[in-house]
Amino acid sequence: MNLKDRVIVITGASSGIGEATAKKIAKEGAKVVLMARSEDKLVTLKNEIEKDGGKALVVAGDVTKKKDFENVVEKTVDTFGKVDGLVNNAGLMPLSFINKLKTDEWDKMVDVNIKGVLNGVSSVLPHLIDNKGGDIINISSMAANRYFPGGAVYCATKSAVKMFSEGLRQELAPEYGINVTSIEPGAVATNLTSTVTDEDIKDKMSEMLEMNTLESEDIANAIYYTLTQPKRVNINDIYIVPTEQK
Ligand code: NDP
């Protein structure tokens, strides 16, 4: 299936994986809807996409606020007439050891990484059901499949996203033709580690980032692959890691 004129909402589009995905799928013909809190960055990205002949709409918003998400979907339908898919990509990773009790950071991860995904699904689902199909791609992580130091809460949020995706798939794919995918990347070179405040983790992170990590474009390509399969094909999981990552 090609992407021409398919309308795809991408959260966390202001940087990293979301930004690369917007560029990739817009280049292949999708109309992209860019959501994140940093409106200025989204506008810069929209201009770049349009300069390359693509189509983009900016609707700034916070994924933890259901109303913001509903506004994104409403503006999408007003502008492009429909919504065909959602890439639930926005996420945070303020890793810390549990004994530091950084409970505000735990809350933020639960709010953005889990509740943000739920808000996205509840906002687009009525439209996908009306359209008799569509795509939901949730960006989980390698962290869904294994614990790493300082990642107890982050790994738990990403396991939740992976399992929620499987539940969605079983409930939505056969009955409504809505394909659902969990993408589980290993280390990707982005700003994701910028929210880490635990000094003990910062030391470990710099060691880890010495390896040759994935680029955001590698994940964008996996998302493109998922979106362009024939309707009969549901890609359940893509577990994609750097060659050098143990
Ligand atoms: P970045 O930090 O580059 O991007 C995170 C994006 O999430 C930004 O666009 C940010 O935009 C957005 N965001 C954060 N909070 C909110 C919010 N409340 N509402 C709306 N948008 C929000 O990191 P990545 O590109 O790496 O992260 C993308 C996803 O990939 C995350 O879910 C992450 O967990 C996952 N992932 C990343 C890996 C990696 O190694 N980089 C590995 C595995 C998974 P803004 O601040 O403007 O709102």
Side-chain angles (χ1 to χ4, degrees):
M1 265 173 80
N2 75 36
L3 277 175
K4 183 126 185 53
D5 294 332
R6 278 161 71 192
V7 178
I8 311 290
V9 176
I10 304 166
T11 71
S14 62
S15 78
I17 294 169
E19 179 182 351
T21 300
K23 285 184 186 163
K24 169 73 184 170
I25 68 174
K27 197 168 165 210
E28 302 293 340
K31 295 174 178 171
V32 291
V33 182
L34 312 173
M35 180 183 186
R37 293 162 305 172
S38 312
E39 190 164 14
D40 50 339
K41 290 187 190 164
L42 297 180
V43 170
T44 305
L45 176 60
K46 172 187 156 82
N47 291 339
E48 232 178 285
I49 287 171
E50 290 183 344
K51 215 171 123 197
D52 283 349
K55 290 206 170 66
L57 170 71
V58 168
V59 193
D62 183 333
V63 294
T64 66
K65 298 183 179 145
K66 214 167 165 191
K67 279 216 151 53
D68 282 12
F69 234 127
E70 287 164 358
N71 179 48
V72 169
V73 174
E74 203 181 301
K75 296 244 163 69
T76 301
V77 174
D78 284 351
T79 307
F80 294 133
K82 60 173 183 166
V83 50
D84 295 308
L86 169 66
V87 181
N88 262 321
N89 164 75
L92 298 179
M93 190 182 69
L95 300 175
S96 65
F97 289 106
I98 289 294
N99 60 9
K100 306 274 174 78
L101 289 176
K102 290 182 179 279
T103 55
D104 287 350
E105 295 181 357
W106 302 356
D107 287 347
K108 274 191 198 146
M109 281 188 277
V110 170
D111 286 346
V112 177
N113 298 1
I114 303 179
K115 291 189 194 163
V117 169
L118 303 183
N119 288 337
V121 168
S122 68
S123 306
V124 299
L125 193 54
H127 297 271
L128 301 186
I129 289 175
D130 279 355
N131 291 352
K132 303 198 171 6
D135 292 275
I136 297 175
I137 298 180
N138 296 326
I139 308 303
S140 171
S141 171
M142 179 185 207
N145 302 308
R146 60 158 119 151
Y147 162 82
F148 51 81
V153 177
Y154 180 74
C155 296
T157 65
K158 292 300 183 177
S159 295
V161 171
K162 180 177 176 177
M163 186 48 78
F164 178 58
S165 304
E166 176 58 9
L168 279 182
R169 184 190 70 76
Q170 292 204 26
E171 291 192 21
L172 302 180
E175 191 164 348
Y176 300 106
I178 298 169
N179 293 98
V180 183
T181 304
S182 163
I183 299 199
E184 293 135 37
V188 187
T190 68
N191 295 329
L192 192 69
T193 54
S194 66
T195 54
V196 175
T197 61
D198 184 337
E199 295 299 329
D200 296 330
I201 296 289
K202 282 187 186 172
D203 294 344
K204 286 205 182 305
M205 294 298 317
S206 49
E207 273 166 38
M208 196 178 102
L209 293 173
E210 276 167 20
M211 81 174 141
N212 197 3
T213 59
L214 297 176
E215 299 294 333
S216 295
E217 289 71 21
D218 301 324
I219 311 306
N221 286 338
I223 292 170
Y224 171 68
Y225 170 79
T226 302
L227 287 171
T228 50
Q229 293 309 297
K231 193 86 203 64
R232 65 179 180 277
V233 178
N234 192 97
I235 306 293
N236 291 19
D237 293 272
I238 297 185
Y239 189 179
I240 171 173
V241 304
T243 304
E244 290 184 12
Q245 188 165 15
K246 284 191 180 149

